[in-house]
Amino acid sequence: QVWSGKEWSPYASMLQIEIHKLLDNDERYPSGYAFRLIYNGNVLTSKMDECSAADLCDVQVLVKQVMSFASNYEDGNCAAKVQTAKESKIGEMKDVTVNLFSTPVGVTMVLLLVVVSMALGSVTTCFIIRRRLRKEYNYTDTLALADLSMS
């Protein structure tokens, strides 16, 4: 048994699985591939079930051990599935945009949104500039009556 299931590996531990393609047909490796399991520099292949004392073991033993908790490897390329999902989202957004601009109501809504955004941006900018100028020049809206005396 390689792992008891009760303890965790120390931080920065390294697990290596070497896969070797065998050039000679050896009856110990019917698949034509062998693996070696190395943990923190120690070869653990011989501790796996169905593996002999040799450093290498048939890759089918590893597949049987790993498949009990790994995802189905026959599903294909995971990166292709992610790419397909991403492409479908982009395609969906493109369809919504085309549908929005194909109707007069959609065009009107977009133009209204642009005009309202410009108005809000302008009002906000004027408010901020006015406030900054008041602070900088100590400007107030109220006029002092004493300053308006004609004498």
Side-chain angles (χ1 to χ4, degrees):
Q1 188 70 3
V2 177
W3 183 55
S4 65
K6 296 179 182 175
E7 59 188 46
W8 287 94
S9 300
Y11 181 73
S13 292
M14 184 164 64
L15 175 70
Q16 296 172 309
I17 301 174
E18 297 176 352
I19 306 291
H20 300 272
K21 183 176 182 178
L22 304 172
L23 300 176
D24 299 331
N25 291 336
D26 192 343
E27 59 191 38
R28 294 178 297 172
Y29 311 108
S31 67
Y33 291 90
F35 78 95
R36 180 165 51 177
L37 184 65
I38 303 170
Y39 175 71
N40 288 337
N42 299 321
V43 178
L44 300 179
T45 310
S46 61
K47 293 184 179 183
M48 295 226 10
D49 297 338
E50 302 179 32
C51 289
S52 63
D55 280 353
L56 295 176
C57 188
D58 189 52
V59 78
Q60 292 303 320
V61 174
L62 178 67
V63 170
K64 279 193 260 180
Q65 292 286 325
V66 172
M67 289 311 293
S68 63
F69 59 86
S71 64
N72 190 356
Y73 67 97
E74 295 176 6
D75 283 345
N77 189 352
C78 295
K81 289 181 184 176
V82 171
Q83 185 68 18
T84 305
K86 189 185 293 184
E87 288 173 357
S88 69
K89 290 288 186 189
I90 291 172
E92 184 179 334
M93 290 171 55
K94 185 177 178 182
D95 292 341
V96 168
T97 306
V98 168
N99 290 340
L100 182 68
F101 283 110
S102 65
T103 63
V105 174
V107 173
T108 305
M109 293 300 287
V110 170
L111 289 176
L112 182 64
L113 180 66
V114 168
V115 169
V116 168
S117 297
M118 287 177 15
L120 285 174
S122 299
V123 168
T124 304
T125 303
C126 288
F127 178 76
I128 291 172
I129 289 174
R130 187 174 175 197
R131 188 171 180 186
R132 194 174 286 166
L133 287 175
R134 281 184 187 196
K135 284 183 180 179
E136 189 173 330
Y137 295 111
N138 294 326
Y139 173 74
T140 60
D141 285 337
T142 57
L143 297 173
L145 292 176
D147 292 340
L148 295 176
S149 64
M150 301 280 237
S151 53

